[in-house]
Amino acid sequence: MKKFIPFLLLLLLSVQVDAQRRSKRKKKQAPAPVETVDTIPAYTPAMIRLKLHETVDADQKALMASDGKADAILKVSSDEQVNNAVSDAATKRVDWLQYEIETDPALDQRLKANYLSGISEILRFVKTGWGRGEVDAAYLPQIIATYKKCVEADRNKQSIAPVIRFLPYDIAYTAILPRVFKDNPGYKDTRDLILIKLSERYPQKTFGALKMYPESPHADSLIRVMAHKYPQQLYDYAQANNKLSYKIQNIEDDPLIKSIVNMARSSNKSGQFYFPFLDIISTGKLTIDDIDAVKDNPVKYFRLLVNTQIEYSRRASAGDTAIGYKSLLSKLEQKARDEFVAPINGLHERPDAIRFRVLQPLNAEELYYVAVLTNGLIYTSSYTNGVYPLMMKKAGNKGDELLKNLNFDHYRKFLSQAAAYNTLKQFLSTFANKDDAKNLMTTFVSNLEKTEGLEDGVDVADSYASVYETLPELAGQMLNDVKGNLDRNKEAGNKKGVAIYSILYNLFLSADSSNHIDLTKELHIPPVYDVSFSSLANEKGEVISQVFFYGDQDGRNIFNGFLNMFNSNWKIDRSNKQWVVIKSIKGNPVSIYANRPLDELKGEDDKAQRALNAYLEENNLYPTVTIHRGHSYYAPSTIEYMSPSSKLVFMGSCGGFNLIDSILRKSEDAHIIASKQIGKTAINKPFFLLLTEKLRTGKDIEWIPFWKEFKGRANVPGFEDYIPPYKNLGAIFIKAYKKETGETDI
């Protein structure tokens, strides 16, 4: 009993950290319904502006097609009212604005041309920004209306500042983005207003804006505020030799800013080694000399980082957030990846004695951070054969004591990772008191409504399938605990908590097929068990697929094998030096675009991928199927470049399962297929052959029968590690939460 109380107390203290560290995000409001727009009178643009009108028309058409379908509705939301408002703004309201500008007798030729060009600039900015996830296209009605008011004010030689004074940043910035207002009498005031709005809406972007506008009268005060919020950014900008850097350097009455400037401007360029320890340096607990003594030794420097992180997590449990803790965590992740995981991943074909030699000097706590901070990058064999068993050995095979020593830092991520790699049962068996293990798992699924974002909820969702398969008794406990949390949140009226736990409860119930849970019906999300052919095809009935290859030796070998697998039903166009196009010549139209695996050392494969993306965008070709073929360390690049229109994503790399959250941030409705462990050509190739044949013959992808057929073609060791979309509980959890709450920025 004496052991039980301290463990539970430490555990309860630790789970408050996320809630204390993070701030709440607000749910975005849908735009108000637009009024009906009457028919535009007939008019003939002046010949000198005909090209400008044609450009606006083309930009309207491109924006309307940017959701993957060139029809009368631009789908930017699951809300039909929002989509109608946005579509009306992109078409009728822009058409009216063109008419009003062209036929206004008070405007001279120069202003008419400028205002028309401004419309095009806004439409292109919204299209490109929405595709990149940087602009919310739902604001388009307000943006067009605001631009129109600015045009009217500018036309009358009045300041545009009052027009945007009380508007949200996203609307105000986009509406005055065109340079047509640079001579307006209120332009300087407007820039100042936009800067303040930016600092309130996107404070993390303030330093970037100040770099472009360092002469702002608000610069000094903003630097002082943002320095304490984003000390790493202050450090980065203080290193430069420009006007913003000089302003930062001239602030000498703020001890924090002065310390950061000294690090950034240090003659030995070692500021990056000192910065993660800013908080304890400022309190005198650590000196520059202490860091200098270890910074060139990977193990000793990593040890100092880990010890500091443990101290910071202890303070966070008590409600004290250290300055620069994010920078410390970032440096820990970098060192864990570069100094330890990258080497052992790279030696995956060498004997364990050689492969894991680099880990031997690390203690249990250090090995814990090596594992948990490289989730998604560490190979399964690196974890199960190296990091995890060595960590447990050095912890004396006492998992409970290890977590207490770590103040339960990142414990949800660790438990989820252990479940994914099938080590959770062994880990929990090392607890001296079995009730502690049960209490840990109860806490694991509790109070998720108090954490920012959905990462913790995803960890809980993803862990359940493994727990259900290997620890049925514990799975029953988790199900009951989730139901208890759901009831608690209902009683408290906590909408976020109700949303999280009602989704988890249905997901957990669905693991047992005898419960007959229809997730599509229960969670009101797009189909989980199938993908219709029509949803993958564009308005021409063609399916566009994109395959990402990388220019290492493995990538070149896989690419050659990829081209050789197409039969007489397909034709390969090899005319382009950077990519190939494979088109079906029988059955339904399917086009597969694949970049060539060019020299990675010269960055030629990256250039090919970017060139292909540019070609696809210019020709309004929006891939709905994305395939990654390459090692796991290339996967983040594929996710960065993949199209948001992707509805089916196959990650043919090791550990791709751990990147589901990143993929869904790019394409929230994607059906994702990935491996928890080793990606194998003997499995990837049969999948692609089966998928492309289904598409060519115009068949819907029904995952349950598809998976049975897939297994019949690729029934080799490792197949069980490939997870079908309907079992990606974390992915389904995120989709359902967005649908339930309407939140997009999570």
Side-chain angles (χ1 to χ4, degrees):
M1 188 65 184
K2 291 181 179 179
K3 290 184 178 179
F4 168 76
I5 294 175
F7 182 91
L8 184 58
L9 179 61
L10 283 169
L11 180 57
L12 292 173
L13 286 172
S14 70
V15 297
Q16 301 175 24
V17 174
D18 285 337
Q20 294 167 339
R21 285 182 176 176
R22 303 167 181 172
S23 60
K24 294 183 178 179
R25 295 176 180 168
K26 296 181 179 179
K27 179 179 179 180
K28 293 185 178 178
Q29 299 297 318
V34 297
E35 299 176 359
T36 303
V37 181
D38 296 329
T39 303
I40 299 171
Y43 72 103
T44 303
M47 185 60 66
I48 60 173
R49 287 185 297 280
L50 183 58
K51 180 64 176 176
L52 292 174
H53 281 279
E54 290 175 346
T55 300
V56 173
D57 295 343
D59 289 328
Q60 286 177 283
K61 183 178 179 180
L63 176 58
M64 291 297 294
S66 61
D67 61 354
K69 291 189 179 295
D71 53 18
I73 295 295
L74 176 59
K75 187 176 181 181
V76 302
S77 166
S78 58
D79 188 324
E80 184 177 350
Q81 185 181 25
V82 173
N83 294 330
N84 289 335
V86 171
S87 302
D88 182 88
T91 54
K92 295 179 182 179
R93 285 180 175 261
V94 169
D95 289 344
W96 261 105
L97 192 51
Q98 287 178 259
Y99 165 76
E100 291 169 349
I101 291 170
E102 181 62 36
T103 60
D104 189 341
L107 293 179
D108 60 31
Q109 308 294 344
R110 179 185 64 85
L111 285 177
K112 288 184 178 182
N114 284 346
Y115 294 153
L116 288 170
S117 297
I119 298 174
S120 281
E121 191 172 348
I122 288 174
L123 293 175
R124 288 194 296 269
F125 178 78
V126 171
K127 174 182 177 291
T128 303
W130 182 51
R132 295 174 178 171
E134 298 170 355
V135 174
D136 188 349
Y139 286 127
L140 187 63
Q142 294 99 320
I143 292 168
I144 297 300
T146 303
Y147 180 71
K148 179 180 177 179
K149 290 180 181 179
C150 288
V151 166
E152 292 170 352
D154 194 58
R155 168 191 183 275
N156 297 323
K157 296 182 172 52
Q158 297 173 349
S159 170
I160 61 173
V163 176
I164 63 99
R165 186 176 304 279
F166 300 108
L167 291 174
Y169 168 80
D170 302 87
I171 297 171
Y173 173 76
T174 308
I176 69 156
L177 178 69
R179 294 281 292 172
V180 300
F181 302 120
K182 59 182 175 59
D183 296 325
N184 184 273
Y187 186 66
K188 184 178 182 299
D189 292 339
T190 302
R191 290 189 70 184
D192 292 335
L193 282 170
I194 291 293
L195 180 61
I196 296 300
K197 291 176 185 292
L198 171 74
S199 68
E200 294 170 348
R201 179 69 177 90
Y202 302 108
Q204 72 277 14
K205 297 182 179 181
T206 303
F207 278 117
L210 284 172
K211 181 183 177 183
M212 305 299 295
Y213 187 32
E215 65 272 19
S216 167
H218 307 297
D220 277 9
S221 58
L222 286 174
I223 289 171
R224 293 174 186 274
V225 172
M226 297 302 162
H228 290 260
K229 287 186 175 181
Y230 307 103
Q232 178 65 58
Q233 288 192 30
L234 182 77
Y235 173 85
D236 294 337
Y237 283 99
Q239 286 184 304
N241 291 307
N242 54 35
K243 290 182 180 179
L244 176 58
S245 177
Y246 301 148
K247 275 192 172 290
I248 293 171
Q249 294 174 47
N250 287 334
I251 298 177
E252 297 185 349
D253 59 346
D254 187 307
L256 176 67
I257 294 177
K258 190 173 182 180
S259 297
I260 294 174
V261 168
N262 289 338
M263 290 181 187
R265 309 296 297 182
S266 62
S267 59
N268 61 5
K269 304 297 181 183
S270 295
Q272 60 175 317
F273 290 97
Y274 308 139
F275 188 83
F277 308 102
L278 177 62
D279 191 278
I280 53 177
I281 288 175
S282 64
T283 59
K285 294 181 179 179
L286 190 71
T287 68
I288 297 296
D289 289 341
D290 294 332
I291 301 171
D292 284 338
V294 301
K295 66 182 177 65
D296 295 325
N297 185 301
V299 172
K300 291 182 178 179
Y301 184 73
F302 188 70
R303 180 161 295 149
L304 183 59
L305 288 169
V306 167
N307 290 338
T308 306
Q309 173 65 19
I310 292 174
E311 169 64 13
Y312 283 3
S313 67
R314 182 194 63 77
R315 288 171 52 183
S317 297
D320 178 17
T321 300
I323 297 172
Y325 77 91
K326 289 184 179 179
S327 297
L328 174 68
L329 193 60
S330 177
K331 180 63 72 173
L332 253 180
E333 291 175 355
Q334 177 200 334
K335 290 297 181 181
R337 179 187 68 240
D338 296 346
E339 302 291 353
F340 304 105
V341 168
I344 62 178
N345 280 352
L347 296 172
H348 64 279
E349 295 182 348
R350 302 299 301 277
D352 286 355
I354 297 174
R355 181 182 183 186
F356 301 122
R357 185 180 297 159
V358 69
L359 301 177
Q360 297 306 315
L362 302 182
N363 61 34
E365 290 77 12
E366 290 154 6
L367 288 163
Y368 175 92
Y369 283 110
V370 167
V372 80
L373 295 182
T374 60
N375 195 46
L377 296 174
I378 189 169
Y379 285 5
T380 300
S381 58
S382 296
Y383 179 91
T384 57
N385 296 346
V387 175
Y388 177 78
L390 185 60
M391 177 191 76
M392 293 307 295
K393 178 181 178 181
K394 295 202 171 188
N397 212 35
K398 298 178 180 179
D400 49 352
E401 294 297 325
L402 176 62
L403 288 180
K404 284 193 288 186
N405 292 342
L406 292 159
N407 306 304
F408 297 89
D409 190 26
H410 286 77
Y411 83 100
R412 280 196 178 99
K413 180 62 65 182
F414 174 77
L415 294 178
S416 175
Q417 186 181 46
Y421 293 127
N422 296 319
T423 59
L424 180 59
K425 181 177 182 179
Q426 192 279 332
F427 178 76
L428 295 178
S429 71
T430 67
F431 282 39
N433 187 317
K434 300 310 175 185
D435 286 337
D436 283 349
K438 291 183 178 180
N439 284 311
L440 176 65
M441 296 307 295
T442 292
T443 306
F444 176 60
V445 303
S446 299
N447 297 312
L448 295 173
E449 75 278 5
K450 296 180 181 179
T451 63
E452 173 63 18
L454 291 183
E455 185 177 358
D456 290 333
V458 170
D459 287 339
V460 171
D462 276 337
S463 69
Y464 187 74
S466 178
V467 173
Y468 180 80
E469 292 173 356
T470 60
L471 297 165
E473 184 178 342
L474 181 57
Q477 176 194 323
M478 290 177 66
L479 182 63
N480 290 333
D481 287 338
V482 164
K483 181 64 166 61
N485 277 279
L486 174 59
D487 293 341
R488 176 177 56 80
N489 277 278
K490 283 181 177 179
E491 185 176 348
N494 189 310
K495 293 182 179 180
K496 178 181 179 181
V498 171
I500 288 173
Y501 284 108
S502 62
I503 294 167
L504 286 175
Y505 188 58
N506 278 293
L507 290 178
F508 287 10
L509 284 174
S510 73
D512 184 348
S513 59
S514 65
N515 289 323
H516 303 293
I517 300 296
D518 184 343
L519 294 177
T520 303
K521 177 182 177 181
E522 297 294 334
L523 303 181
H524 310 291
I525 58 176
V528 170
Y529 295 98
D530 62 84
V531 183
S532 66
F533 178 84
S534 61
S535 71
L536 297 174
N538 58 24
E539 68 277 4
K540 298 178 182 178
E542 180 183 19
V543 176
I544 307 297
S545 301
Q546 185 175 8
V547 188
F548 290 83
F549 285 98
Y550 293 85
D552 58 351
Q553 186 60 54
D554 287 343
R556 292 192 291 272
N557 292 339
I558 293 172
F559 181 76
N560 292 332
F562 167 76
L563 294 182
N564 291 333
M565 75 183 200
F566 291 95
N567 57 27
S568 59
N569 293 323
W570 303 84
K571 180 179 179 181
I572 302 177
D573 181 354
R574 306 171 188 257
S575 59
N576 193 285
K577 294 181 179 180
Q578 292 182 298
W579 66 80
V580 299
V581 185
I582 303 104
K583 288 181 176 288
S584 59
I585 56 177
K586 296 179 183 178
N588 290 69
V590 178
S591 294
I592 303 167
Y593 293 83
N595 68 278
R596 294 180 182 274
L598 304 177
D599 192 342
E600 65 165 339
L601 298 178
K602 295 180 180 179
E604 296 297 330
D605 51 358
D606 180 73
K607 292 178 182 178
Q609 290 168 359
R610 287 189 282 112
L612 176 54
N613 276 4
Y615 172 83
L616 293 173
E617 184 170 346
E618 289 169 5
N619 289 275
N620 292 322
L621 298 170
Y622 301 99
T624 54
V625 178
T626 297
I627 308 290
H628 168 75
R629 296 305 310 273
H631 290 299
S632 58
Y633 41 81
Y634 294 126
S637 179
T638 292
I639 297 170
E640 179 183 356
Y641 289 156
M642 66 175 272
S643 172
S645 59
S646 300
K647 291 182 171 60
L648 195 160
V649 180
F650 180 82
M651 300 300 291
S653 62
C654 300
F657 184 79
N658 296 305
L659 299 172
I660 287 174
D661 183 54
S662 298
I663 296 170
L664 288 173
R665 289 181 182 275
K666 197 66 178 285
S667 178
E668 65 178 7
D669 285 336
H671 286 235
I672 304 167
I673 303 94
S675 173
K676 283 188 175 183
Q677 302 196 38
I678 303 297
K680 295 183 177 181
T681 299
I683 300 173
N684 296 338
K685 183 177 178 180
F687 174 86
F688 197 76
L689 283 169
L690 179 58
L691 175 66
T692 52
E693 187 62 16
K694 295 285 186 185
L695 297 178
R696 189 187 66 79
T697 55
K699 295 180 180 178
D700 296 339
I701 309 298
E702 298 180 3
W703 287 120
I704 293 178
F706 180 99
W707 214 254
K708 291 179 180 178
E709 189 174 354
F710 176 30
K711 184 176 182 180
R713 297 187 180 198
N715 193 11
V716 298
F719 179 85
E720 65 278 4
D721 294 320
Y722 280 70
I723 308 301
Y726 63 90
K727 288 189 176 180
N728 283 339
L729 297 188
I732 299 169
F733 173 80
I734 293 175
K735 289 181 185 179
Y737 185 86
K738 288 183 177 182
K739 179 68 177 179
E740 175 69 21
T741 64
E743 293 187 28
T744 58
D745 187 19
I746 57 177

